Amino acid sequence: MEFGSVPEDEAFRGEVRGWLDAHVGGGVDRRGWERTLGADGWIGLGWAESGYGNRTATLTQQVVWAEEYARSAAPPRSGHIGENLLAPTLLAHGTPEQKARFLPPVAAGEELWCQGYSEPGAGSDLAGVRTAAVREADGYRVSGQKIWTSLAHEADWCFVLARTEAGSRRHHGLSFLLVPMDQPGRIEVRPIRQLTGTGDFNEVFFDGAYAEHVVGGEGNGWRVAMSLLGFERGVSTLAQQIGFAEELGRVVRDAVASGAAADPVVRARLVRQWAELRVMRWNALRTLGNQAAEPGAPSVAKLLWAGWHQRLGELAVQVRGAAASVGPADWSAAAPYELDAAQHLFLFSRADTIYGGSDQVQRTIIAERVLGLPREPKGVES
């Protein structure tokens, strides 16, 4: 029996599958795909009775949508940061004017967002941000640098955690600003080439960029930022696991094809990956919609899936043996840098235990907030 198999949810699943079957495929660009999703009401399912979303779906139905989307091999989302991170944050902390201005374009797939949190000297240590914003009569002027900014090269807007109180330290004096990206000469985006040859991560440089909107009030950025991080690991975790299951299936098939599955050690590792994935699913279902009561739940989930996915990447190349070192096309100065699925999985997953909060940071959160151990020294508080 599938999750959410009551009659109304099964009817919803059928509607989702039918729509995806009719629309997935073809050469639509990623921004065009967001507009297609918005036009047919599939963005903002979790915005409940806000009046700014599209279809209204229960939590179970949101999981159904996310799982079917992952199974359908639909295009990667460019609008997920606006839909799943910015929108819940505005619903919780934004003014009526901010909700009315920013939520409808997200629901329509018309405006894309990126997240301006990490900096070269403050990656996992978010409270160490140095990007500064100076108050003016009608807004702020933002100067500084952000790094590892996903999809900044496509985004129309960026929500930026910046220091609005000169001389403040750590989590004091921070504000959550909404910055338009189309500011030539004021904002520069530089793609970061990764091990996989792709460049979805970016460096973003702000040189007096203008920001009119502050969410949650000046100086309350830390509270808003922490609230947003709580939204980051919700329904999407279950959809992520559907993708993981498909990757595991490919690794199993490669192990059989290469003969590696005859090795009892390899078989044991494959079974362990399968069992751990099931455990992650049941843990995600157990905590779904109840993470406020379990402050360590997002950190536990991040530790579980990041390590699991990294081990899967290692196993993906191990089962192929020497063939794993040969690319799908000849590499030369004139040819593009190409990887097959297993190679991409292995190289990209090296970052899983770092981005989104490193393993060390997640363990510190669990130690301090769940186990009540002494807090780690982080410098002088102001």
Side-chain angles (χ1 to χ4, degrees), residues 68-377:
E68 293 302 327
Y69 191 94
R71 285 193 180 99
S72 71
R77 291 289 307 278
S78 292
H80 64 92
I81 295 175
E83 178 185 7
N84 299 321
L85 298 183
L86 175 77
T89 303
L90 285 180
L91 290 171
H93 303 285
T95 65
E97 294 76 16
Q98 289 169 345
K99 296 174 187 177
R101 163 59 185 88
F102 292 108
L103 294 180
V106 172
E110 295 291 346
E111 289 185 347
L112 304 182
W113 286 78
C114 60
Q115 174 176 310
Y117 273 19
S118 296
E119 298 182 4
S124 295
D125 182 17
L126 185 58
V129 300
R130 292 181 291 181
T131 294
V134 178
R135 186 95 164 96
E136 293 187 345
D138 57 349
Y140 299 82
R141 290 291 174 180
V142 183
S143 297
Q145 179 186 357
K146 298 295 182 178
I147 199 167
W148 309 122
T149 309
S150 300
L151 303 178
H153 58 298
E154 299 181 8
D156 303 294
W157 288 80
C158 181
F159 50 87
V160 176
L161 190 63
R163 201 163 291 283
T164 50
E165 180 184 335
S168 62
R169 293 178 178 271
R170 304 301 301 162
H171 58 272
H172 302 293
L174 298 171
S175 296
F176 189 97
L177 305 176
L178 308 182
V179 182
M181 293 294 287
D182 186 14
Q183 300 190 52
R186 299 290 186 181
I187 297 179
E188 180 183 359
V189 177
R190 299 180 189 172
I192 300 173
R193 185 175 173 86
Q194 300 155 230
L195 286 172
T196 55
T198 56
D200 282 348
F201 295 140
N202 303 270
E203 295 177 282
V204 182
F205 297 86
F206 300 94
D207 184 10
Y210 176 71
E212 177 184 355
H213 300 276
V214 57
V215 178
E218 183 175 310
N220 294 320
W222 183 256
R223 177 173 62 89
V224 178
M226 291 300 98
S227 174
L228 181 143
L229 291 177
F231 300 127
E232 193 168 16
R233 297 188 252 281
V235 169
S236 59
T237 300
L238 287 158
Q240 179 189 54
Q241 291 168 12
I242 299 296
F244 287 171
E246 293 177 355
E247 290 177 334
L248 176 58
R250 285 197 296 268
V251 173
V252 170
R253 291 191 292 272
D254 285 346
V256 172
S258 68
D263 183 340
V265 174
V266 171
R267 289 202 304 273
R269 289 189 65 185
L270 290 170
V271 170
R272 180 172 181 174
Q273 292 289 141
W274 177 86
E276 289 177 346
L277 183 58
R278 298 300 295 175
V279 169
M280 285 193 290
R281 175 174 175 78
W282 292 117
N283 182 63
L285 290 172
R286 180 182 65 83
T287 61
L288 190 64
N290 192 39
Q291 291 187 354
E294 300 187 54
S299 293
V300 170
K302 175 62 166 60
L303 280 172
L304 287 173
W305 75 252
W308 182 92
H309 200 223
Q310 202 168 83
R311 292 191 297 275
L312 183 67
E314 294 165 356
L315 189 56
V317 294
Q318 177 189 348
V319 301
R320 297 177 61 197
S325 63
V326 180
D330 292 335
W331 293 356
S332 68
Y337 178 75
E338 293 187 26
L339 301 170
D340 61 30
Q343 293 165 337
H344 186 277
L345 170 60
F346 170 68
L347 292 175
F348 189 85
S349 63
R350 307 318 298 166
D352 285 344
T353 52
I354 300 173
Y355 71 80
S358 68
D359 277 12
Q360 292 83 356
V361 168
Q362 305 305 334
R363 291 190 177 99
T364 297
I365 291 172
I366 294 169
E368 295 178 354
R369 302 182 188 176
V370 180
L371 302 179
L373 297 179
R375 298 185 70 83
E376 178 182 347

Side-chain angles (χ1 to χ4, degrees), residues 15-93:
E15 181 183 2
V16 169
R17 285 182 175 174
W19 189 89
L20 289 168
D21 288 345
H23 288 82
V24 171
V28 65
D29 64 280
R30 288 172 66 168
R31 186 177 284 268
W33 177 244
E34 291 298 322
R35 289 193 292 266
T36 298
L37 290 170
D40 285 348
W42 295 110
I43 299 177
L45 300 182
W47 300 357
E49 304 302 325
S50 69
Y52 294 108
N54 287 305
R55 302 166 188 254
T56 299
T58 65
L59 185 60
T60 301
Q61 289 171 343
Q62 293 169 49
V63 173
V64 167
W65 161 257
E67 289 184 336
E68 293 302 327
Y69 191 94
R71 285 193 180 99
S72 71
R77 291 289 307 278
S78 292
H80 64 92
I81 295 175
E83 178 185 7
N84 299 321
L85 298 183
L86 175 77
T89 303
L90 285 180
L91 290 171
H93 303 285

